[in-house]
Amino acid sequence: KQWYQLRVRVGTLGKGTIRKLKDLYTDTEREDELLMQEEIEKARNTICDFWKTKAGLSKGAAQQELMKITTRWLAFGYGIFEVLIIDNRFRETELWLAVGRNDIAIYPRQKSLPLEVHTYDSIISFGAPQVNVFKITIEGHAPLEMSTPEFLDIARLMKTYIGIMVKMKKGR
């Protein structure tokens, strides 16, 4: 869902303004819901069409086919988070942050090739400077700032992976 911030000075609201704003928000919410339903239906149809071509496969063969498709994606096994990039670093602002065991990657949503990949060795710092904002400082790059309600989950996952890497390096 998209949330809109409205700043209004006291005394500037006319009669019925709140009702009109509520109606506007409700209409926008309905439109978003319809668009989401359309996207789900398109995805469902695409998946059904694909599997219709595989109709003669046994259950085991179908599972193997699915695993082949899934493991081809570079971010297989990564934690995927929807983020909104705050700066104009990329052409698109609605992206996926993929957090993996050895690196992080930025993907356009619904795409299989990353825009950027950074190993944990190149990450100088990461954290949440404010609520719903996550910032990653990467060596040789401008800081990557993104808006996401999942900032705590991202930080915990990155911290866990970095901790595992440190333990593995100490064990050598």
Side-chain angles (χ1 to χ4, degrees), residues 119-137:
T119 63
Y120 289 115
D121 293 333
S122 67
I123 295 174
I124 297 168
S125 66
F126 63 91
Q130 52 188 317
V131 176
N132 290 344
V133 174
F134 192 73
K135 182 177 180 178
I136 303 172
T137 305

Side-chain angles (χ1 to χ4, degrees), residues 59-125:
K59 183 178 178 181
Q63 288 172 339
Q64 286 180 338
E65 184 73 24
L66 180 61
M67 286 309 294
K68 271 195 255 177
I69 293 166
T70 306
T71 57
R72 271 191 300 210
W73 190 40
L74 297 174
F76 177 73
Y78 282 58
I80 306 296
F81 302 93
E82 290 186 354
V83 298
L84 182 66
I85 300 297
I86 294 173
D87 58 18
N88 293 327
R89 184 177 186 152
F90 304 106
R91 200 165 13 132
E92 299 174 39
T93 57
E94 292 183 359
L95 303 170
W96 283 337
L97 173 65
V99 179
R101 185 172 179 208
N102 300 312
D103 54 33
I104 63 161
I106 303 293
Y107 283 85
R109 290 191 188 172
Q110 311 299 326
K111 304 288 183 202
S112 61
L113 293 175
L115 298 171
E116 287 186 2
V117 178
H118 301 285
T119 63
Y120 289 115
D121 293 333
S122 67
I123 295 174
I124 297 168
S125 66

